[in-house]
Amino acid sequence: MRLFYIFGSPMYSANDHTQLYEILNDLKRSSDKTVKDQDFFHHFEIRLAANFHSLRSLLIELYNDRQVVESLLPKLVFNLFDQYQQRSDELKKLDQKREKDPHWLLNEKWAGMMLYVDHFSGDLKGLIRKLPYLEELGINWIHLMPLLKSPEGENDGGYAVSDYKTVDPRLGSMDDIVTLTRELRKKDMLLAIDYVMNHTSDEHEWAMKAKAGDTVYQDYFFMFDDRQVPDQFEMTMPEVFPNSAPGNFTFNEDSGKWVMTQFHTYQWDLNYYNPAVLFEMIDAAFFLGNQGIDILRLDAVPFIWKKLGTACRNEREAHVILRLFKACFEIVAPGVVFIAEAIVRPHEIISYFGENEYSGKECDIAYNATFMALCWEALSTGDVSVMRHVTSKMQPKPFGTTWINYLRSHDDIGLGFDDEDLREMGIDAKGHRKFILDYYTGEYPNSLATGAPFAFNPKTGDARISGTLSALCGLEKAIELDNEEL
C-alpha cells in the first residue's frame, strides 16, 4: 500500500496500522461516499495517515477509555471525510499551496485591523465595497468582530452564539461571507472571525432542547438538580465578572436545574466530557473554514475543560482538545490557522502553542497580551525599564508559530505582567497597578487619558481598563479640547 512508509514509522503501533487500514477500506466501500477526485483523496489519505496516531492517542488521553475510543475514531474519520468532500477545489488548492510554504504566516507583511461590520460598513456587502480602502491603508488581514447569529437582547457583543452556521441577518448571510472570502483571496488578504468554543447562548438550539427536558441535550451542558455539585465547583472557581455576573452557576426555571455559566447568565458552558459536544464543535468549525475563512480566533480556550477542585482554567484536557482540533484541521483544511485567545499569566500563554512532542501543534498564533500591557505601562511612566525586564524573561515561542503584537482590541486591558517581576525591580506592585489604572481612567493629575475602569472587584480593589487607543493615548481629549499641539 502506498502509505506503508508512514505506517512503518516508529510512532505507529500495530493497532494504529490495522484500524487505519480498516477505516480507509470502509470509506472506499461505503456506498454513500463518492470520491469526487482521486488526486484530492490521495491528499486526504496521506494527511490522515500522518495524523492518525495523534487522533487516537489524544482521544484516549481525553476520555481515558480505549473501548470508547475504538468506536469514536471511525465516526470521527468519516466526519472528517465528509467535511473534506465539502471543501471546494479552490480551497483545497490553497491548502496545498500553504503546505508547500509552511511558514507563510510568519511573513512580516501581515498587518491586521479588527472591526465591527455594522459600524464600519453597515453590512457585509458594504464591507466588500470598502476593500479597496483597506488595501490603501496597507491592511491585508481583517478580523471581523462576532457576526454569527446571536439573540438581539443579551448577547455579550455577539459572543453568545445561537447558531454557529448562520450569520446575523442584520449583517448579511453566509453567501456574503463566501463572496467576501473570494474577493479577499484575489487581493491576498486574510479573514479572521471568532469561534466561541467555551459556551453558547441559552437560545441556541441545544440549550432550548435542554430547557425543554431533553436529557440528550442537557448532557451538552453542566446541569444539576441542586446546589451540591455547583457549590463544590464554586469553592475553587474564580469569578470572571464578579460585579456584573457573580458566581459560576445560574438557576434555569424552565428545566428546574442549575447551569454552569462562567461568563454571563445567558452563556451556557459546553460539556466536552461528552464526545458529542466535541464532534459538534469540530463540525461547526469546519463549516466555517469551508466558507473560505482563513483564521479562527478560538475564544476563551483556557476555560473549556472543567474539573472539580480546580480553577477550571488552563487544564491539561483543554490543551488536548486544542491538539485534537489542530490534528483534524491538518487532515481536512491545513490552510486554516488558529489564534489562541488565552489572556492568562505570561508564563501560561506560551503553552497554547503546544508543548513537548506537541510543540507548535495547538494554536498557530497567540495574542501577545503581556507586550500590549507593557506598552501601556511604558507610556504611562515614560520609562521602558519594566518592559525590558519582563520581555527579557519571556520564553521563546515554538518554531513556526507567531505572536500577534497589538495595541488595542475590543477587550479591556488586564495588566498581564507578574507582580514578582515588579518586586524584582524594587517597585511596589499594588501601588504601581493602581497608578496605571488611575492614569488611564483620567484620575491621575495631568493625565489626558479618558478610559474607564472595568470589572471592578470590590474584594481586591482590582479593575481592568477599557478604552480605545485614541482615548487612552490622549487623542480623544486633545480633539475635545481642540488643542492642535496635544
Side-chain angles (χ1 to χ4, degrees):
M1 192 174 180
R2 62 187 174 203
L3 301 184
F4 177 79
Y5 70 95
I6 295 178
F7 292 147
S9 168
M11 73 177 185
Y12 261 81
S13 67
N15 284 342
D16 289 332
H17 185 164
T18 301
Q19 191 171 21
L20 176 55
Y21 185 83
E22 290 173 352
I23 290 172
L24 282 172
N25 280 336
D26 286 344
L27 269 177
K28 292 173 181 177
R29 284 196 302 263
S30 180
S31 59
D32 61 341
K33 307 290 179 191
T34 303
V35 179
K36 294 189 297 185
D37 187 303
Q38 287 295 331
D39 183 53
F40 279 139
F41 182 67
H42 174 58
H43 285 283
F44 177 82
E45 283 186 298
I46 293 290
R47 294 175 189 151
L48 176 62
N51 290 278
F52 189 79
H53 175 77
S54 290
L55 289 181
R56 192 168 185 271
S57 300
L58 291 167
L59 283 171
I60 291 171
E61 188 175 357
L62 189 62
Y63 294 117
N64 198 29
D65 190 324
R66 288 180 179 272
Q67 193 170 1
V68 168
V69 169
E70 297 307 317
S71 64
L72 289 177
L73 195 50
K75 179 183 176 184
L76 176 59
V77 173
F78 269 65
N79 287 351
L80 296 180
F81 183 62
D82 282 341
Q83 296 293 345
Y84 188 74
Q85 290 277 70
Q86 293 169 34
R87 194 158 176 79
S88 71
D89 289 354
E90 182 184 0
L91 292 176
K92 288 175 182 174
K93 290 175 182 175
L94 180 61
D95 291 334
Q96 292 174 30
K97 178 182 176 182
R98 289 176 176 174
E99 281 183 301
K100 290 176 183 176
D101 180 18
H103 303 308
W104 64 272
L105 192 64
L106 306 187
N107 195 306
E108 70 279 5
K109 73 179 183 180
W110 301 116
M113 176 186 286
M114 178 210 79
L115 58 88
Y116 289 87
V117 174
D118 52 346
H119 294 303
F120 182 75
S121 58
D123 58 19
L124 289 166
K125 287 184 172 65
L127 176 59
I128 294 168
R129 291 192 293 270
K130 283 196 171 188
L131 291 183
Y133 167 68
L134 292 172
E135 276 191 296
E136 185 181 343
L137 294 178
I139 298 300
N140 51 21
W141 166 328
I142 55 175
H143 171 196
L144 305 184
M145 293 303 291
L147 47 69
L148 299 179
K149 188 177 180 181
S150 61
E152 289 194 20
E154 295 180 315
N155 60 31
D156 191 23
Y159 285 97
V161 178
S162 56
D163 189 340
Y164 287 101
K165 299 182 180 181
T166 302
V167 171
D168 185 329
R170 293 166 290 187
L171 302 178
S173 68
M174 200 56 73
D175 287 341
D176 293 329
I177 290 289
V178 173
T179 301
L180 173 62
T181 57
R182 284 176 180 159
E183 292 301 312
L184 290 170
R185 284 194 294 278
K186 293 176 185 176
K187 299 175 182 294
D188 193 24
M189 298 171 74
L190 305 177
L191 178 64
I193 73 164
D194 292 271
Y195 187 58
V196 185
M197 290 182 63
N198 181 69
H199 46 259
T200 71
S201 162
D202 64 354
E203 294 187 25
H204 191 287
E205 178 186 8
W206 304 337
M208 298 299 286
K209 289 181 177 179
K211 290 179 186 179
D214 189 327
T215 55
V216 169
Y217 287 95
Q218 288 182 351
D219 197 34
Y220 274 43
F221 305 97
F222 293 89
M223 303 182 72
F224 303 95
D225 292 328
D226 55 40
R227 286 288 312 190
Q228 182 178 355
V229 174
D231 285 345
Q232 292 179 49
F233 270 111
E234 293 283 21
M235 291 174 67
T236 54
M237 287 178 73
E239 296 171 305
V240 177
F241 300 124
N243 58 337
S244 60
N248 292 285
F249 289 84
T250 299
F251 183 73
N252 175 250
E253 294 185 359
D254 293 331
S255 62
K257 294 180 181 290
W258 290 91
V259 185
M260 185 181 287
T261 54
Q262 283 192 95
F263 285 78
H264 292 100
T265 59
Y266 50 84
Q267 289 168 301
W268 288 18
D269 286 57
L270 288 165
N271 174 19
Y272 282 92
Y273 284 87
N274 180 355
V277 171
L278 177 71
F279 281 32
E280 292 268 24
M281 295 301 287
I282 290 174
D283 175 70
F286 276 126
F287 175 83
L288 296 171
N290 282 346
Q291 310 310 307
I293 292 161
D294 302 282
I295 302 162
L296 293 178
R297 174 190 177 273
L298 306 182
D299 182 69
V301 288
F303 297 84
I304 58 179
W305 191 266
K306 284 75 176 176
K307 189 183 295 182
L308 273 174
T310 74
C312 298
R313 299 182 188 182
N314 301 308
E315 291 298 314
R316 174 184 60 83
E317 291 85 353
H319 292 281
V320 175
I321 291 169
L322 291 178
R323 292 166 195 163
L324 270 166
F325 266 74
K326 186 62 177 175
C328 289
F329 269 79
E330 285 294 303
I331 295 166
V332 174
V336 176
V337 297
F338 296 157
I339 300 177
E341 194 266 329
I343 310 303
V344 293
R345 290 179 295 183
H347 69 275
E348 293 171 334
I349 295 176
I350 203 79
S351 66
Y352 287 90
F353 289 121
E355 296 180 304
N356 303 320
E357 71 269 29
Y358 289 102
S359 179
K361 292 294 184 182
E362 287 187 29
C363 292
D364 308 275
I365 312 169
Y367 288 99
N368 201 344
T370 299
F371 185 70
M372 179 274 297
L374 289 168
C375 286
W376 291 107
E377 188 277 343
L379 183 62
S380 66
T381 60
D383 185 345
V384 297
S385 56
V386 172
M387 177 186 286
R388 289 189 179 198
H389 180 71
V390 175
T391 54
S392 70
K393 297 170 66 177
M394 289 177 67
Q395 299 178 51
K397 58 182 177 52
F399 182 71
T401 62
T402 188
W403 292 111
I404 284 183
N405 294 306
Y406 68 106
L407 291 175
R408 286 302 299 116
S409 72
H410 70 289
D411 257 331
D412 52 273
I413 298 176
L415 298 176
F417 36 83
D418 287 335
D419 288 352
E420 182 59 33
D421 290 328
L422 297 176
R423 284 192 285 267
E424 288 173 1
M425 300 181 66
I427 298 172
D428 171 43
K430 185 174 182 180
H432 195 60
R433 289 176 182 276
K434 179 69 164 58
F435 157 73
I436 297 171
L437 174 65
D438 288 348
Y439 185 90
Y440 284 114
T441 56
E443 295 296 320
Y444 191 77
N446 300 320
S447 169
L448 293 172
T450 55
F454 177 73
F456 176 74
N457 188 337
K459 299 174 185 175
T460 64
D462 292 334
R464 302 200 288 266
I465 303 164
S466 287
T468 61
L469 184 149
S470 62
L472 298 182
C473 75
L475 179 60
E476 187 176 270
K477 188 71 172 179
I479 292 171
E480 179 186 318
L481 297 174
D482 194 22
N483 186 314
E484 185 65 30
E485 181 181 356
L486 290 180

